[in-house]
Amino acid sequence: MIAKKTLKYSAFAMLVASLLATGCQSSSSEVQTEEPEAEQASATLEPLVTEIYTADPSAHVFNGKIYVYPSHDIDAGIPEKDDGSHFAMRDYRVMSMDSVGGKVTLHDVALDIKDVPWAGRQMWAPDATEKDGTYYLFFPAKDKQDIFRIGVATSSSPIGPFKAQPTPIEGSYSIDPAVFKDDNGDYYMYIGGIWGGQLQRWSSGKYNANDEYPADDQPALSPKVAKMSSDLMSFDGEVKDVQIVDKDGKPLLAKDNDRRFFEAAWVHKYNGKYYFSYSTGDTHNIAYAIGDSPVGPFTYQGVILKPVLGWTNHHSIVEQNGKWYLFFHDSSLSGGKTPLRSVKVTELKYNPDGTIQTIDAMVSVDETQKAKS
């Protein structure tokens, strides 16, 4: 089932890339919405930077300015595989801007894998936060045994350079760390990604080199959350499941590929509610759920961002000066190559009831091609 879905979407991506090359992708009026009752918006047209390929953007506002912490995609010459080995990123570079729409500065290397003593390969999607004037960069990488762990590096500047700790965070595993600071000053880290992210290898609480997935009629694999210690260098307590439930309070099932968690957790707070958003992976949506606590449970609501060009979909959400923004990536800059992505941004809008208006980025890709033809 998984392989069929992957191949199906790969064919779709190649078709879209071909249409992009000819400038004849179907118009926005022909795009079919999965949720016709939801209001929709289109996304910003151009990548934030074109000098390098960037992906998995984690955006934050520090001292009134926006800083984006992305992965740095490179052409590693590795064939695409289900295990994600073709995503062979080796360093991080930070982007900054005074405001969305303004000049974007791409800064020098903030952290290189050669300066991380415990890391072996694949520096995937990072995140960052600030406390008492120190900036913390959290990042996944495979250790010398090829097991994903979460590392932490610090700097006195939001753009680095960052100095990594000699060992990963004890008890950490899998990928896509996202750190949320609550209003009371508590920090929480969310982690997890299935397939190449190895979350399925930790079902027992200990690493198992064999992939073990729940049966289709069982609850889906859960993302994880841990409260951070006061110095943000370790977990303050055990790593716990984040429960995502339907409107009836029942956990989403493993077979529910359109809604269940795959990777790319992100948490933000709006009007007193906690929004847990994530990628559905092989169905390529950014979905979201809402809860009353930073550790859940979260009730599924719908889709924030529909599939983009390329296999992956990864995002972050941030507020600046009363406006909310969705940072995401697609593969339009590389002509549809999944491992070579570029970060974009668009305004995020809420409905009066607190739900989020669905965004269709493919509409903007179409409009861009029309403008250039």
Side-chain angles (χ1 to χ4, degrees):
M1 180 182 70
I2 290 175
K4 287 181 180 178
K5 289 196 174 187
T6 304
L7 291 172
K8 179 180 177 182
Y9 190 76
S10 296
F12 168 75
M14 288 188 288
L15 173 61
V16 173
S18 175
L19 291 173
L20 285 172
T22 59
C24 61
Q25 187 180 341
S26 59
S27 67
S28 59
S29 62
E30 296 172 325
V31 175
Q32 299 299 313
T33 62
E34 295 175 359
E35 300 178 4
E37 73 280 1
E39 292 188 56
Q40 298 209 16
S42 60
T44 300
L45 304 179
E46 300 296 338
L48 292 183
V49 299
T50 57
E51 302 98 306
I52 63 172
Y53 291 108
T54 54
D56 312 320
S58 292
H60 294 274
V61 174
F62 297 133
N63 300 316
K65 191 171 183 175
I66 296 176
Y67 294 87
V68 185
Y69 300 83
S71 302
H72 177 193
D73 279 353
I74 59 172
D75 187 354
I78 300 172
E80 293 188 29
K81 295 176 61 179
D82 278 351
D83 66 1
S85 55
H86 49 290
F87 295 108
M89 300 85 107
R90 300 168 186 159
D91 62 23
Y92 297 111
R93 296 182 67 177
V94 182
M95 294 183 283
S96 67
M97 64 196 83
D98 289 331
S99 60
V100 170
K103 178 184 176 182
V104 178
T105 301
L106 176 65
H107 298 277
D108 293 336
V109 172
L111 181 67
D112 192 294
I113 196 167
K114 65 180 176 59
D115 298 318
V116 182
W118 59 268
R121 64 189 181 111
Q122 294 183 287
M123 297 181 83
W124 285 12
D127 193 20
T129 195
E130 180 272 341
K131 184 177 182 180
D132 298 333
T134 297
Y135 296 88
Y136 298 78
L137 181 69
F138 300 96
F139 60 95
K142 284 183 176 175
D143 63 16
K144 308 298 185 181
Q145 289 73 46
D146 238 21
I147 300 173
F148 269 117
R149 305 288 184 178
I150 309 300
V152 57
T154 57
S155 175
S156 59
S157 167
I159 62 173
F162 289 85
K163 180 176 177 56
Q165 294 297 300
T167 59
I169 295 174
E170 184 176 355
S172 68
Y173 53 86
S174 197
I175 60 169
D176 294 351
V179 175
F180 169 73
K181 179 184 178 182
D182 206 353
D183 297 337
N184 64 1
D186 289 340
Y187 291 76
Y188 297 86
M189 178 183 287
Y190 305 83
I191 55 174
I194 62 177
W195 288 9
Q198 301 180 343
L199 185 60
Q200 70 280 358
R201 298 183 179 183
W202 291 91
S203 299
S204 68
K206 295 182 179 180
Y207 182 76
N208 179 353
N210 298 314
D211 294 328
E212 294 184 358
Y213 298 94
D216 282 354
D217 61 352
Q218 295 300 305
L221 288 169
S222 296
K224 310 298 179 183
V225 61
K227 187 177 180 182
M228 300 297 292
S229 61
S230 59
D231 64 2
L232 304 187
M233 294 290 182
S234 61
F235 295 151
D236 183 12
E238 63 181 322
V239 177
K240 300 179 180 180
D241 287 346
V242 175
Q243 193 173 43
I244 305 173
V245 301
D246 63 18
K247 296 295 177 63
D248 296 321
K250 297 179 180 179
L252 300 185
L253 301 181
K255 65 182 178 182
D256 192 352
N257 297 58
D258 288 329
R259 299 192 298 173
R260 62 90 175 90
F261 172 84
F262 187 100
E263 62 186 0
W266 187 264
V267 172
H268 75 278
K269 197 171 184 179
Y270 176 76
N271 283 353
K273 296 289 186 178
Y274 298 88
Y275 287 65
F276 184 88
S277 48
Y278 56 95
S279 170
T280 60
D282 56 339
T283 50
H284 318 289
N285 291 315
I286 297 297
Y288 75 108
I290 297 176
D292 296 317
S293 164
V295 297
F298 297 93
T299 302
Y300 179 87
Q301 301 295 320
V303 173
I304 297 175
L305 179 64
K306 297 176 74 174
V308 299
L309 181 61
W311 199 93
T312 66
N313 208 351
H314 197 120
H315 73 299
S316 61
I317 295 169
V318 69
E319 181 268 337
Q320 185 193 42
N321 299 327
K323 284 191 173 184
W324 288 87
Y325 298 97
L326 176 78
F327 286 77
F328 66 102
H329 69 230
D330 69 14
S331 296
S332 57
L333 184 63
S334 65
K337 296 179 181 178
T338 286
L340 299 176
R341 300 157 293 181
S342 52
V343 169
K344 298 183 175 183
V345 61
T346 189
E347 188 174 352
L348 185 94
K349 296 182 179 180
Y350 298 87
N351 297 312
D353 63 358
T355 56
I356 296 173
Q357 296 181 18
T358 304
I359 296 167
D360 189 345
M362 293 300 290
V363 173
S364 290
V365 171
D366 176 47
E367 291 172 349
T368 300
Q369 294 305 311
K370 284 184 175 181
K372 291 179 178 180
S373 62

